[in-house]
Amino acid sequence: MEETIEETSRGLALRLCLNLRNGLHARPAARLAQEAQRYSAAIQLVSDTGEVDAKSMLDVLSLAPPFNAELTLLAQGHDAREALCGLARLLSTMQD
């Protein structure tokens, strides 16, 4: 997965496509939130249906992004770039 991190007025942004056949259901949502909690940066997950705190499994689950959903990760903080890279790597290697 090639990662293109952009600087925006809201911090760093990374756009990606969700490649999980069953979407971001409970197990991958929990893993994403757990990974996001490793970083001190504030991290938001944005989809067509809303924007949530990526460190909260319930928030991530509430988005219910389906297979092929376009997502954006936004991060602010001293380890924002590292957080986006780590989360992108997790999402690209995660399997249903």
Side-chain angles (χ1 to χ4, degrees):
M1 169 188 242
E2 187 169 318
E3 300 156 357
T4 303
I5 297 174
E6 303 171 23
E7 288 192 34
T8 70
S9 60
R10 298 185 60 199
L12 297 179
L14 174 66
R15 290 181 178 77
L16 49 93
C17 182
L18 185 64
N19 291 320
L20 295 171
R21 275 182 314 193
N22 296 316
L24 200 51
H25 59 83
R27 191 169 357 120
R31 288 185 60 203
L32 179 69
Q34 189 174 36
E35 176 71 11
Q37 291 169 12
R38 292 183 52 228
Y39 303 99
S40 64
I43 306 168
Q44 300 293 311
L45 180 63
V46 182
S47 77
D48 289 345
T49 58
E51 177 176 333
V52 298
D53 180 356
K55 295 182 180 185
S56 167
M57 177 197 148
L58 291 177
D59 283 1
V60 171
L61 202 50
S62 73
L63 287 180
F67 174 69
N68 269 344
E70 291 188 22
L71 303 173
T72 302
L73 286 165
L74 296 170
Q76 286 184 314
H78 80 277
D79 60 351
R81 185 171 299 273
E82 181 183 344
L84 293 182
C85 290
L87 293 172
R89 190 171 30 258
L90 175 70
L91 285 170
S92 69
T93 59
M94 218 183 267
Q95 297 181 3
D96 289 313

